[in-house]
Amino acid sequence: EQPCLTVTELLGCARQTVLKKQLDWYETPASAYAKFRGSMFHKAIEGSNGGAIVEERFTVMLPSGVMISGQPDLIYPDQHLLLDFKTTRYIPKEPYAHHILQLNAYRYLVWETYEIWNLEVAYFDMSSCRRLPVPLMDMGKVESFLVQQGSAVTEGLTGSQLPERTGEDGLWQCGYCPFTAECWPQGAPQK
């Protein structure tokens, strides 16, 4: 039986997702703090969103047979709006590419229940907040990406070969990965 993979697992490096499911690994203090800080912001906003669907988990089967799930922060059905919160060191002027992909993957995930036509990401740093509109991606392209990543992860979990390392656009993820030494024995290339 294939595992249910989360949107977050599919958006990152497929190799990292497989290794996290196969090997023991430990959270670094910096990574644990980042998750704690994000949880604080989520708790603070949790109770004040009338009419919103708050952190509900959605599950869907991809055409390839891979089951995926995800939990968007807020959905406002009447506004056809999906809103996600992100803590960051510096608030960007435009949404980060991986957040655009994540929110569009959530849109794909919830589409059968809620037609979403507006995506926004709210970035928080330690002093301010900014909500930014997120461009809508073609649903077919989002589905194709999720199928490709889901297949890479499931093949890595059931086969004898690990998925390829993340591509050049994803090298920033290597700095946050507990398996960098296994993937890049001579050190990850600098971008």
Side-chain angles (χ1 to χ4, degrees), residues 45-122:
I45 54 129
E46 201 172 81
S48 61
N49 293 292
I53 308 303
V54 180
E55 294 186 335
E56 184 177 315
R57 181 153 300 276
F58 293 84
T59 304
V60 71
M61 177 87 64
L62 293 173
S64 61
V66 174
M67 185 72 72
I68 65 168
S69 75
Q71 189 170 313
D73 291 335
L74 292 173
I75 298 171
Y76 290 96
D78 293 346
Q79 299 172 37
H80 301 278
L81 170 67
L82 187 148
L83 176 63
D84 215 55
F85 299 94
K86 302 292 180 192
T87 57
T88 184
R89 184 172 296 179
Y90 306 105
I91 295 179
K93 291 185 179 0
E94 299 291 327
Y96 292 118
H98 56 284
H99 293 155
I100 293 171
L101 185 55
Q102 180 183 19
L103 269 68
N104 276 280
Y106 284 154
R107 178 179 179 239
Y108 174 87
L109 190 66
V110 307
W111 188 259
E112 290 298 315
T113 309
Y114 301 107
E115 287 188 18
I116 300 298
W117 296 105
N118 303 294
L119 299 173
E120 289 185 13
V121 60

Side-chain angles (χ1 to χ4, degrees), residues 117-189:
W117 296 105
N118 303 294
L119 299 173
E120 289 185 13
V121 60
Y123 288 105
F124 292 85
D125 66 13
M126 296 311 281
S127 64
S128 64
C129 170
R130 178 182 297 150
R131 276 175 67 168
L132 298 172
V134 172
L136 298 178
M137 295 172 63
D138 177 79
M139 292 279 257
K141 289 181 181 178
V142 173
E143 180 179 78
S144 180
F145 174 83
L146 294 171
V147 165
Q148 178 185 352
Q149 286 291 97
S151 296
V153 171
T154 54
E155 288 170 18
L157 289 171
T158 58
S160 59
Q161 191 167 345
L162 286 173
E164 292 294 317
R165 288 188 288 253
T166 187
E168 186 119 344
D169 290 341
L171 284 178
W172 64 270
Q173 297 173 60
C174 296
Y176 300 95
C177 180
F179 308 107
T180 302
E182 287 85 346
C183 283
W184 303 97
Q186 285 77 35

